[in-house]
């Protein structure tokens, strides 16, 4: 008689995830991208922000060319002589850093406020949800744009703007899911048994609220990356000293019309691939978690 | 129905009042109000005179009163750069943005709904998978990069279309529109496509999800069992059911389109309110930014209201229940 | 004897699934005469609904009709091109589905749905079509039919919705109506109302009716003949009285015994043991053998074919409970 391993939710999740080869490929791609970003210093052939390493004689070289000192610019160089490949890897790091931190914080805030609203109800819930509604009726990009116009440039300010723009999504989802959970019998029983509120909230309500949050989080990470890129492109995002992929693309705009497309093209492709991977992963995660959520 | 309308309308006014308050006190908190409303390059005596004239030496709540007063009268300040009333400036640029937004949505819906339905009716077919793959790429592509690529391809490499700017305009009812001239259209196509691609991807996904769900419903089978033609079954029975969520989302997205026009207008140098906003931010023309904000708030609130009303008109089940909070 | 309105011969419908081929309907044969009510009885999964759809040609991928003839007034429907089938559906053959809330399109008004059906088959003006629709509604006992036409489905009660569906089926005076569990979703009181309505309407016309149900009691009062289905096969066919009084197939007997009201008070209920088989893993022999109290080795090895027990009473069993003239 064979003994089957315990079927934990995590194992089921992994097993379900593996059913889509496309999502697996996307997931692996994402892992590679994250690794690239984390180990940028070790992987990138050149540190493009070390002024000692670049020279203007290497400026605007097309992809594949050899530079002044024999360094091969696989994806070309920009007008300052910076290696596009390296700039992209560092830019990836900034883009990912900003969005992960922003979304992570937004999740925490959203969790806190959403659980609070659902648990306490009454006027607290009304205030929180009205704020959420008003916030959500305006497009994120616009709010972020205007915020940054007031606050100025800087990585930290971009993160703050993104957090302010995204927390509402999470708060709403968390509250809706928490409400469903709180109305269930076992929570009422736990309350009747005078279990401490912490136990109920964190031990029972929270784990059941996480699946939809996870789904939204993947979408929002993609969103955050896209918004940050757009903001940087428009000139109100990250500063020139810490360029994200969006800023790199902006830099290349002027050279586009003269045919030096690579300065904008390759960072854009990198951005595209990152977002496609995140979206594919997010779609698949949502498909897996959905029927389960209804059960 | 009337009670519902009144409720929604008063909610809308409430939101606008809240926004006006936030804008005013936000600006007040962020910086010296003097700089916000007076040209910082004016000399000291002029500044003081203007301050007195604008009541900026009065306490906050009085200033707020002036602000609201000005709002009601449609006075949102004067642009530093252009020396025209900010509101008038924005309104003069609005038609350009609107025609861009509408053409973009038109393309998105006109192509997106049929493509989504095709993908939804036969989800296993290879062309359906192609459509879906395309839609993922479509909404993953950052808007501005996509615009750049469109320029690169069609304007620089192929040279078929101009790389930016708005074309010749004709006045219709006093409003200059550019889609009625060939030159205008050729300038309009690329930015409109840029706007459309992202929306179209969303529409395709929505329509496909709706279609594949609706196609399995009993009432579709029943319609076929009554001998109705496939055209009628798809075009009326299926379509009407999937249009409801599509229209709702589209309505909400219209606001987004106008907002995201900021990016498209920057890439294509399109003289709409988005470009005006970016320029104004760069030039520190704060009154224009304030005016833009208030106008956008107004537009959004109105759009939300129209969408809600439209939704209740489309879905008869909602109508009977009357009030939707 | 006049030719039957509908003659089904050896119908076989298969579904290709990832787990294998499911034979939902196998060697199904029966006739329905004009003005006759045939009750098709079986549990869920017995293939009765698929049989109904197969007659109408509404089997979608991954299903296919792989064998058999479906003769409507002599014409083999299987050989007709889709455009002609479309003309027949709703006009010569009408179908009534189970849950009217799901079968009426929720976003279209009743008049829209009725008028489009009429106009698809008759060359009449919209105004005339509305008149016909109102007449049909009146016929099924719906009060103020003209006002009702402007209703949406959710604005009506369940019973009224089903009457609308019945009206739509009768409107164009079809030769055959297939009713798939039309009263299952309704309250018992409404159910008996609908049943008596249907009886009354049928008495006026010569429409043939196939009434698909899992409920023998419904069939008992309404049908002239009954066909019992199990695991995709028809196991017994006969006149309703013959079948109910002297069932020849052990499954039919089991069904009758399972009805609580058939068992005298105080006596134990006698359910049929076991479960309906999965249609993918059908046993080699008789599909009912695993649950049959009289099954023997032959039953498990060989699949019984259809035999005539007496005139009009056919059976698919090696050990009939009742002896007949032929064997």
């Amino acid at each position: 008689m064979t003994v089957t391993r315990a079927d934990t939710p995590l194992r089921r999740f992994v097993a379900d995830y593996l059913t889509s080869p496309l999502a697996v490929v996307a997931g692996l791609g994402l892992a590679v991208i994250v690794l690239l970003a984390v180990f940028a210093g070790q992987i990138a052939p050149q540190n493009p922000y070390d002024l000692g390493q670049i020279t203007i004689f290497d400026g605007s070289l097309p992809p594949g060319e050899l530079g002044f000192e024999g360094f091969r610019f696989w994806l070309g160089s920009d007008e300052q002589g910076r290696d596009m490949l390296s700039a992209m890897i560092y830019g990836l790091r900034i883009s990912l850093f900003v969005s992960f931190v922003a979304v992570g914080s937004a999740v925490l805030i959203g969790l806190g406020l959403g659980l609070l609203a659902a648990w306490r109800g009454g006027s607290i819930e009304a205030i929180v949800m009205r704020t959420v509604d008003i916030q959500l009726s305006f497009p994120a990009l616009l709010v972020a744009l205007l915020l940054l116009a007031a606050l100025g440039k800087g990585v930290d300010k971009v993160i703050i703007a993104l957090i302010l723009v995204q927390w509402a999504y999470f708060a709403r989802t968390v509250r809706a899911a928490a409400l469903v959970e709180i109305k269930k019998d076992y929570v009422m029983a736990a309350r009747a048994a005078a279990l401490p509120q912490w136990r109920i909230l964190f031990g029972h309500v929270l784990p059941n609220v996480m699946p939809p949050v996870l789904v939204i989080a993947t979408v929002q990470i993609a969103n955050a990356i896209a918004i940050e890129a757009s903001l940087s492109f428009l000139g109100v995002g990250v500063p020139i000293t810490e360029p994200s992929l969006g800023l790199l693309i902006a830099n290349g705009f002027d050279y586009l019309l003269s045919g030096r497309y690579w300065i904008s093209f390759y960072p854009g492709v990198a951005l595209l691939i990152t977002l496609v991977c995140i979206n594919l992963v997010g779609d698949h995660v949502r498909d897996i978690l959905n029927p389960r959520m209804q059960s | 129905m009337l009670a519902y309308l009144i409720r929604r309308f008063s909610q809308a006014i409430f939101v606008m009042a809240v926004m006006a308050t936030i804008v005013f006190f936000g600006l007040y908190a962020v910086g010296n109000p003097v700089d916000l409303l007076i040209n910082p390059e004016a000399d000291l005596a002029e500044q003081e005179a203007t301050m007195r004239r604008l009541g900026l030496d009065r306490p906050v709540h009085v200033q707020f009163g002036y602000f609201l007063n000005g709002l009601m009268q449609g006075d949102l300040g004067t642009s530093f750069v252009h020396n025209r009333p900010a509101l008038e400036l924005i309104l003069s640029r609005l038609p350009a943005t609107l025609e861009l937004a509408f053409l973009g949505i038109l393309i998105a819906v006109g192509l997106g709904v049929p493509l989504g339905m095709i993908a939804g009716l036969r989800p296993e077919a290879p062309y359906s998978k192609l459509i879906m793959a395309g839609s993922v790429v479509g909404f993953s592509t950052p808007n501005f990069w996509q615009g750049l690529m469109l320029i690169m391809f069609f304007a620089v490499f192929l040279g078929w279309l101009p790389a930016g700017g708005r074309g010749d305009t004709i006045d219709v009812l006093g409003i200059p529109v550019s889609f009625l001239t060939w030159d205008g259209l050729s300038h309009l196509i690329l930015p409109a496509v840029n706007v459309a691609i992202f929306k179209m991807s969303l529409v395709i996904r929505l329509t496909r999800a709706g279609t594949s769900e609706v196609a399995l419903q009993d009432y579709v089978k029943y319609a076929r069992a009554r001998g109705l033609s496939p055209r009628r079954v798809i075009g009326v029975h299926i379509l009407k059911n999937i249009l409801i969520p599509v229209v709702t989302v589209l309505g909400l997205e219209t606001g987004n389109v106008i907002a995201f026009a900021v990016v498209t207008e920057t890439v294509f140098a399109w003289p709409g309110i988005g470009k005006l906003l970016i320029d104004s931010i760069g030039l520190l023309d704060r009154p224009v930014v304030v005016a833009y904000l208030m106008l956008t708030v107004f537009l959004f609130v109105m759009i939300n209201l129209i969408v809600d009303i439209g939704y209740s008109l489309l879905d008869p089940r909602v109508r009977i229940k009357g009030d939707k909070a | 004897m006049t030719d039957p309105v509908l003659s089904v011969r050896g119908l076989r419908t298969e579904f290709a699934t990832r787990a294998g081929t499911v034979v939902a309907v196998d060697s199904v044969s029966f006739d329905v005469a004009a003005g006759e009510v045939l009750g098709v009885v079986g549990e869920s999964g017995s293939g009765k609904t698929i049989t109904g759809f197969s007659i109408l040609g509404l089997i979608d991928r991954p299903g296919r009709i792989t064998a058999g003839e479906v003769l409507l007034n002599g014409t083999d429907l299987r050989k007709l091109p889709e455009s002609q089938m479309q003309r027949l559906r709703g006009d010569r053959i009408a179908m009534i589905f189970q849950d009217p809330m799901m079968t009426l399109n929720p976003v279209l008004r009743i008049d829209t749905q009725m008028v489009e059906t009429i106009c698809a088959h008759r060359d009449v003006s919209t105004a005339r079509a509305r008149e016909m629709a109102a007449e049909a509604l009146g016929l099924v006992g719906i009060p103020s039919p003209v006002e009702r036409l402007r209703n949406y489905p959710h604005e009506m009660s369940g019973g009224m919705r089903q009457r609308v569906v019945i009206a739509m089926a009768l409107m164009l005076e079809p030769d055959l109506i297939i009713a798939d569990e039309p009263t299952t979703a309704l309250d018992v009181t409404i159910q008996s109302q609908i049943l008596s309505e249907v009886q009354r309407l049928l008495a006026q016309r010569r429409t043939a009716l196939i009434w698909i149900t899992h409920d023998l009691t419904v069939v008992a009062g309404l049908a002239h003949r009954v066909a019992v289905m199990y695991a995709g096969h028809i196991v017994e066919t006969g006149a309703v009285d013959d079948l109910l009084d002297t069932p020849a197939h052990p499954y039919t007997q089991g069904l009758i015994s399972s009805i609580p009201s058939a068992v005298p008070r105080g006596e134990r209920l006698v359910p049929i043991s076991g479960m309906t088989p999965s249609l993918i893993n059908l046993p080699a022999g008789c599909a009912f053998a695993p649950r049959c109290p009289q099954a023997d080795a032959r039953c498990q090895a060989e699949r019984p074919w259809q035999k005539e027990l007496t005139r009009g009473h056919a059976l698919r069993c090696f050990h009939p409970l009742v002896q007949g003239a032929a064997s």
Side-chain angles (χ1 to χ4, degrees):
Chain A
M1 187 177 79
T2 46
V3 178
T4 44
R5 294 164 79 191
D7 195 19
T8 66
L10 185 61
R11 270 208 199 94
R12 252 185 312 178
F13 179 81
V14 173
D16 282 339
Y17 190 86
L18 292 173
T19 56
S20 164
L22 194 60
V24 171
V25 168
L28 287 174
L30 211 50
V32 167
I33 289 173
V34 171
L35 282 173
L36 273 180
V38 169
F39 294 108
Q42 286 77 16
I43 299 181
Q46 177 200 76
N47 181 349
Y49 306 107
D50 179 357
L51 291 171
Q53 285 189 28
I54 60 168
T55 162
I56 199 140
F57 290 120
D58 285 337
S60 298
L61 292 173
E65 283 281 306
L66 275 176
F68 202 58
E69 289 165 21
F71 179 87
R72 189 173 289 279
F73 292 90
W74 289 108
L75 293 178
S77 65
D78 70 0
E79 78 285 0
Q80 301 272 345
R82 282 188 279 258
D83 174 36
M84 286 313 300
L85 182 58
S86 310
M88 271 165 53
I89 297 181
Y90 276 91
L92 199 57
R93 169 193 263 186
I94 307 253
S95 296
L96 287 179
F97 174 73
V98 166
S99 52
F100 273 97
V101 170
V103 173
S105 316
V107 167
L108 287 175
I109 296 179
L111 269 178
L113 286 174
L115 284 177
L116 184 68
W119 191 253
R120 284 306 179 84
S123 47
I124 294 186
E125 181 178 21
I127 294 178
V128 171
M129 293 324 288
R130 280 298 132 248
T131 319
V132 166
D133 281 341
I134 293 181
Q135 162 111 42
L136 284 179
S137 52
F138 299 106
L141 183 65
L142 215 51
V143 176
L145 187 60
L146 293 162
L147 267 170
L148 283 168
L151 294 173
K153 282 199 204 183
V155 172
D156 49 346
K157 304 200 175 67
V158 173
I159 294 181
I160 292 178
L162 282 174
I163 295 177
L164 276 169
V165 154
Q166 296 198 314
W167 72 269
Y169 243 146
F170 291 105
R172 182 163 68 175
T173 314
V174 166
R175 168 187 166 266
L179 272 183
V180 167
E181 211 53 37
I182 289 174
K183 287 198 171 28
K184 289 196 181 160
D185 290 340
Y186 73 87
V187 173
M188 278 202 276
R191 274 172 128 160
L195 271 177
Q197 295 189 14
W198 296 113
R199 285 274 303 276
I200 308 177
L201 267 178
F202 288 102
H204 297 288
V205 179
L206 190 60
N208 282 293
V209 155
M210 285 317 286
V213 170
L214 212 64
V215 170
I216 304 249
T218 38
V219 171
Q220 289 300 87
I221 289 183
N223 239 357
I225 296 180
I227 294 179
E228 178 275 315
S230 306
L231 291 170
S232 302
F233 176 79
L234 291 171
V236 291
V238 296
I240 193 79
T241 48
E242 292 171 274
S244 64
L245 290 173
L247 199 52
L248 289 176
I249 298 177
N251 282 342
F253 189 10
D254 300 321
Y255 301 91
L256 195 69
L257 296 170
S258 56
R260 273 167 285 186
Y261 65 92
W262 55 89
I263 305 178
S264 285
F265 182 68
Y266 290 110
V269 172
L271 203 50
L272 175 61
I273 295 180
T274 309
L275 288 173
V276 168
C277 286
I278 297 181
N279 279 319
L280 284 176
V281 168
D283 268 359
H284 195 54
V285 166
R286 186 192 51 219
D287 287 340
I288 300 177
L289 289 178
N290 247 337
R292 210 93 60 71
M293 281 199 293
Q294 285 157 13
S295 64
Chain B
M1 184 66 168
L2 190 62
Y4 174 73
L5 273 178
I6 293 179
R7 263 214 2 238
R8 291 288 291 130
F9 213 73
S10 28
Q11 268 181 0
I13 303 232
F14 173 72
V15 172
M16 292 198 57
V18 168
M19 282 315 293
T21 317
I22 293 180
V23 167
F24 180 83
F25 286 104
L27 288 177
Y28 195 80
V30 164
N32 188 342
V34 181
D35 298 334
L36 295 169
L37 297 165
I38 304 174
N39 193 335
E41 282 168 24
D43 66 37
L44 200 58
E46 240 184 88
Q47 282 187 17
E48 281 176 6
T50 324
M51 273 179 72
R52 260 193 308 271
R53 187 166 46 87
L54 290 176
L56 283 172
D57 48 346
R58 305 289 189 81
V60 179
H61 49 273
V62 177
Q63 288 192 40
F64 188 47
Y66 279 130
F67 177 67
L68 285 181
N69 199 22
L71 258 189
M72 308 278 201
Q73 292 173 5
D75 176 16
L76 290 167
T78 308
S79 158
F80 300 150
V81 176
H82 303 265
N83 219 11
R84 286 159 67 183
L87 190 59
E88 185 223 309
L89 183 61
I90 293 187
L91 286 178
S92 72
R93 308 282 209 118
L94 195 56
T97 302
L98 286 180
E99 72 177 356
L100 184 62
F102 283 136
L103 187 59
I105 293 183
L106 200 66
I107 298 177
V109 173
L111 284 181
V113 169
L115 281 176
M117 284 185 82
I118 292 175
L121 286 171
R122 290 256 179 275
E124 298 304 310
Y127 54 79
S128 298
K129 303 216 168 136
L130 194 64
I131 294 176
M132 291 314 292
S135 76
V136 173
V137 174
F139 82 75
S140 303
T141 315
N143 207 4
F144 59 93
W145 184 75
Q146 188 187 92
L148 289 181
M149 290 303 113
L150 282 173
I151 293 181
M152 180 178 99
F153 206 65
F154 288 100
V156 180
F157 282 172
L158 287 176
W160 287 351
L161 294 165
R166 196 181 183 202
D168 298 332
T169 61
I170 294 180
D171 269 6
V172 171
L173 301 175
I175 302 175
V177 294
S178 73
F179 57 83
L180 293 173
T181 62
W182 270 128
D183 180 58
L185 260 184
S186 72
H187 279 88
L188 191 52
I189 290 185
L190 279 184
V193 166
N194 191 28
V195 167
I197 291 186
F198 183 79
K199 292 292 163 269
M200 187 162 76
S201 311
L202 280 181
V203 170
I204 289 180
R205 285 163 75 84
L206 260 181
T207 315
R208 173 188 177 267
T211 306
S212 56
E213 206 186 289
V214 165
L216 295 173
Q217 296 292 316
D218 273 353
Y219 52 80
V220 172
K221 201 146 196 170
Y222 184 52
R224 292 169 61 207
R226 289 180 282 144
L228 300 178
S229 68
R231 213 174 36 189
R232 175 120 190 136
V233 174
I234 296 178
V236 174
H237 286 257
I238 295 185
L239 188 62
K240 193 147 188 231
N241 274 281
I242 60 177
L243 272 184
I244 296 169
V246 169
V247 163
T248 316
V249 170
L250 259 183
L252 297 172
E253 286 289 314
T254 313
N256 256 327
V257 170
I258 297 183
F260 273 93
V262 167
V263 174
T264 305
E265 289 180 15
T266 307
V267 170
F268 288 91
W270 187 264
I273 58 178
K275 181 125 200 325
L276 181 63
L277 176 69
I278 294 292
D279 292 343
S280 304
I281 291 178
L283 295 169
L284 294 178
D285 196 352
R286 302 277 174 105
V288 177
V289 177
V290 172
Y292 179 92
L293 195 55
M294 293 311 300
L295 183 70
T296 319
V297 169
F298 177 74
L299 265 177
F300 272 74
V301 165
M302 281 301 118
I303 290 178
N304 271 336
L305 187 60
I306 295 177
V307 165
D308 277 346
I309 294 178
Y311 185 86
S312 75
L313 281 176
L314 264 184
D315 190 344
R317 289 167 288 188
V318 172
R319 234 183 287 171
I320 286 298
K321 292 192 202 124
D323 319 1
K324 208 164 76 115
Chain C
M1 183 159 100
T2 47
D3 285 333
V5 168
L6 180 74
S7 187
V8 177
R9 296 261 163 274
L11 185 66
R12 184 183 167 98
T13 307
E14 297 176 0
F15 284 81
T17 68
R18 246 181 275 185
T21 311
V22 173
V23 184
V25 172
D26 195 357
S27 325
V28 161
S29 308
F30 58 84
D31 292 344
V32 190
E36 182 178 58
V37 179
L38 174 73
V40 175
V41 181
E43 303 165 68
S44 22
S46 56
K48 47 195 205 302
T49 302
I50 305 284
T51 307
F53 283 136
S54 302
I55 296 173
L56 268 175
L58 284 180
I59 301 290
D60 295 324
R61 276 184 287 192
R64 274 188 330 139
I65 305 177
T66 51
E69 298 177 322
V70 179
L71 301 170
L72 182 72
N73 287 321
T75 320
D76 189 357
L77 298 182
R78 283 197 64 209
K79 296 204 169 70
L80 287 182
E82 173 63 19
S83 55
Q84 278 192 280
M85 266 314 284
Q86 202 182 297
R87 280 201 286 273
L88 280 180
R89 292 190 201 116
D91 189 4
R92 301 290 89 229
I93 315 180
M95 191 154 179
I96 299 176
F97 286 40
Q98 178 174 333
D99 185 354
M101 192 58 226
M102 302 309 298
T103 49
L104 290 170
N105 196 326
V107 302
L108 297 175
R109 289 206 302 252
I110 303 290
D111 58 0
T112 315
Q113 304 190 49
M114 291 183 84
V115 165
E116 68 183 352
T117 313
I118 297 176
C119 290
H121 299 292
R122 296 277 186 275
D123 192 12
V124 293
S125 68
T126 318
R128 172 78 193 119
R130 291 197 88 225
E131 280 171 19
M132 292 167 70
E135 280 167 25
L137 287 185
L139 206 61
V140 290
I142 291 182
S144 347
V146 178
E147 279 95 58
R148 283 294 170 206
L149 279 178
R150 295 188 65 78
N151 280 148
Y152 284 92
H154 65 274
E155 292 172 330
M156 304 174 123
S157 69
M160 197 155 331
R161 281 196 289 265
Q162 198 59 304
R163 284 174 201 255
V164 168
V165 172
I166 294 175
M168 284 171 85
L170 290 170
M171 247 174 1
L172 296 171
E173 305 191 327
D175 300 325
L176 170 70
I177 296 181
I178 303 176
D180 189 355
E181 310 234 37
T183 53
T184 309
L186 303 172
D187 296 333
V188 174
T189 41
I190 311 285
Q191 186 167 309
S192 53
Q193 273 179 15
I194 302 271
L195 280 175
S196 63
E197 285 287 346
V198 171
Q199 273 179 323
R200 178 177 65 84
L201 290 164
L202 287 181
Q204 296 169 354
R205 305 145 186 253
R206 298 277 292 157
T207 319
L209 174 66
I210 299 179
W211 187 285
I212 300 175
T213 178
H214 63 271
D215 192 348
L216 261 181
T217 51
V218 163
V219 148
L222 186 67
H224 301 108
R225 295 170 53 77
V226 176
V228 179
M229 285 191 75
Y230 185 81
H233 293 89
I234 295 189
V235 294
E236 185 169 0
T237 329
V240 62
D241 294 324
D242 286 345
L243 220 86
L244 295 182
D245 293 335
T246 51
H249 196 284
Y251 178 59
T252 317
Q253 171 69 292
L255 277 182
I256 297 173
S257 312
S258 304
I259 302 174
S261 51
V263 178
R265 175 180 274 197
E267 293 218 7
R268 293 191 99 202
L269 294 171
V270 186
I272 311 176
S273 66
M275 309 242 303
T276 35
S278 144
L279 288 176
I280 297 180
N281 288 323
L282 281 175
C286 171
F288 188 61
R291 307 166 76 181
C292 181
Q294 13 202 70
D296 62 12
R298 188 186 180 203
C299 299
Q300 281 164 3
E302 265 182 81
R303 196 166 278 183
W305 52 91
Q306 190 148 307
K307 285 188 299 203
E308 274 244 354
L309 209 54
T310 59
R311 262 256 302 219
H313 196 159
L315 186 65
R316 201 184 277 273
C317 182
F318 292 133
H319 307 288
L321 299 171
V322 173
Q323 289 312 312
S327 70

